Amino acid sequence: MNEKATTVVKKRILISKEYKTICDFIDQFEGLAIDCEIALLQKFPSIESLTLKAILQVQVTTHIKALRWRHESRTLKYVDIYNKCSSNSKDSDILLKIAREHRVGPVTLCRYILKFKYEMKNKAEIAHLLKYPQLIEDQQLSANIIQCMCSDNQDGPLVDLKRRILGEEYEFKLKDLATKAGMHFHDENELRRLGYDKTPDLKMILPFLFRGEVINWIESKAGFGDIKSHRYYTQQQYQSYCNRFGPGIVIYWMGYQEETATLPDNDDGIIVLDDFPRLEDLELLDLSKTMQHLDNVNRYKHFRLLLW
């Protein structure tokens, strides 16, 4: 007798207690973010891996911003440690060891080192050397920076590229699913050509109903919707979408904090989901029937004019 394999559905929507437990684990972890990611996947096997990675991203970014001043003030100390170690060793993981010991992001540490060593005041110059570390004349420093970039899963040009590709992938997924569902829409590029500045990913040409609610736009977020992030996006983006276009849907593909969906901030017409709406929850206008109806109306008006 053949038994059908059961697919285990992992959680993407977390209650506040679960979310806080994960955040506390990340904050208390001693080591690099790349090591923390592995530990997270082992510690919370019932939660979607992409959800855990998205939460880690938010926490690490917050941590970097909060402690930037502290680590920047210690730049001379980090430089002294590196110079001392590099004079006695040709290893390429010296900066990585410093980053792990002092709980500073590897690429963040590289920025401080490059800024001090080459007296760079322009962020663009530092970013250029991080993107092309082979241009650094000091070969050992170049090798150390390359090692840091390959070992940092939260910062640097490689991570920026990965996140941009991920965001574009989910935008493409949204458009593909919307097209297959029979929706008619303008995408972000089309809206900008029409003169709009702040634009959602999809603006419906024909609104549709989601569980009885009229929907005019859909926004795609390739991240986790915690309360703080959602409130920020509401102020910066969603509120203007609602004011201009009416109610819409925000999809946090990596999941969200359960309370995010019920915040008072959403009362003006924001619906929070973790996936594309199910077809059984949608009610769409049939464009062909709508056009036929308009055509019949126009013919009727023309006929009335002839009689008159």
Side-chain angles (χ1 to χ4, degrees):
M1 180 177 176
N2 294 327
E3 295 183 0
K4 293 183 179 179
T6 57
T7 303
V8 178
V9 179
K10 296 190 176 184
K11 298 182 67 174
R12 288 201 300 254
I13 302 174
L14 311 178
I15 61 173
S16 288
K17 184 178 180 181
E18 291 172 318
Y19 176 68
K20 185 178 184 303
T21 300
I22 295 170
C23 291
D24 288 344
F25 180 86
I26 294 170
D27 293 341
Q28 295 166 12
F29 186 85
E30 296 185 3
L32 301 176
I34 196 168
D35 299 321
C36 184
E37 180 180 306
I38 296 171
L40 276 172
L41 299 179
Q42 295 173 344
K43 179 74 174 178
F44 304 98
S46 64
I47 298 174
E48 179 67 49
S49 61
L50 289 176
T51 300
L52 292 171
K53 292 177 183 180
I55 295 173
L56 176 64
Q57 176 186 328
V58 173
Q59 287 301 107
V60 170
T61 301
T62 302
H63 179 81
I64 290 173
K65 290 180 179 178
L67 298 179
R68 178 178 290 147
W69 63 272
R70 179 187 296 178
H71 290 303
E72 195 165 10
S73 67
R74 295 177 179 176
T75 299
L76 184 58
K77 176 182 178 180
Y78 298 146
V79 171
D80 287 341
I81 296 173
Y82 173 77
N83 288 338
K84 182 179 179 180
C85 293
S86 61
S87 64
N88 299 321
S89 169
K90 297 299 181 183
D91 292 343
S92 60
D93 62 346
I94 297 172
L95 285 179
L96 197 60
K97 290 177 179 177
I98 297 173
R100 181 180 288 109
E101 181 179 350
H102 294 273
R103 299 194 69 185
V104 54
V107 172
T108 299
L109 177 61
C110 290
R111 288 193 184 95
Y112 298 150
I113 298 293
L114 288 172
K115 182 179 179 180
F116 181 87
K117 184 175 177 64
Y118 296 105
E119 299 180 351
M120 291 181 170
K121 296 182 179 179
N122 191 330
K123 291 182 179 179
E125 292 178 321
I126 299 174
H128 185 70
L129 283 184
L130 287 176
K131 192 173 183 179
Y132 304 104
Q134 67 273 17
L135 298 178
I136 299 172
E137 294 180 1
D138 185 332
Q139 293 185 359
Q140 187 176 9
L141 179 59
S142 175
N144 268 267
I145 287 177
I146 291 173
Q147 182 80 329
C148 282
M149 286 199 298
C150 292
S151 303
D152 195 331
N153 63 346
Q154 300 297 321
D155 193 9
L158 295 177
V159 174
D160 292 340
L161 177 61
K162 179 182 176 182
R163 287 175 182 168
R164 186 166 65 251
I165 291 173
L166 186 66
E168 291 174 355
E169 177 186 336
Y170 277 97
E171 286 178 18
F172 177 83
K173 178 180 179 179
L174 172 61
K175 286 192 279 188
D176 183 55
L177 290 171
T179 300
K180 289 177 179 177
M183 296 177 180
H184 303 277
F185 56 83
H186 289 304
D187 64 19
E188 193 174 12
N189 294 327
E190 292 168 336
L191 287 170
R192 285 178 178 170
R193 283 197 295 269
L194 291 172
Y196 294 100
D197 47 1
K198 289 187 177 182
T199 59
D201 290 309
L202 300 185
K203 163 66 176 70
M204 298 300 122
I205 296 173
L206 286 176
F208 63 90
L209 295 180
F210 172 72
R211 297 176 183 171
E213 298 290 333
V214 176
I215 300 298
N216 295 278
W217 54 269
I218 304 178
E219 177 74 3
S220 169
K221 291 294 182 188
F224 184 82
D226 61 276
I227 291 175
K228 184 177 179 181
S229 297
H230 181 71
R231 281 179 169 158
Y232 172 80
Y233 286 129
T234 298
Q235 293 174 358
Q236 297 296 315
Q237 295 177 301
Y238 310 153
Q239 195 63 57
S240 64
Y241 301 164
C242 290
N243 292 339
R244 180 170 295 178
F245 305 121
I249 288 175
V250 178
I251 302 176
Y252 290 107
W253 297 101
M254 311 308 174
Y256 56 85
Q257 197 174 343
E258 189 177 57
E259 290 79 1
T260 297
T262 57
L263 289 173
D265 309 58
N266 303 332
D267 291 346
D268 289 334
I270 301 170
I271 295 175
V272 177
L273 300 177
D274 70 325
D275 207 340
F276 191 80
R278 296 183 305 172
L279 294 181
E280 53 264 37
D281 292 329
L282 300 177
E283 186 176 343
L284 284 77
L285 288 174
D286 189 325
L287 185 59
S288 61
K289 291 182 179 179
T290 303
M291 296 303 293
Q292 184 179 1
H293 173 71
L294 291 175
D295 187 49
N296 290 336
V297 170
N298 289 332
R299 287 181 182 179
Y300 174 73
K301 288 180 178 178
H302 182 66
F303 180 70
R304 287 282 302 273
L305 286 172
L306 287 175
L307 291 177
W308 186 77

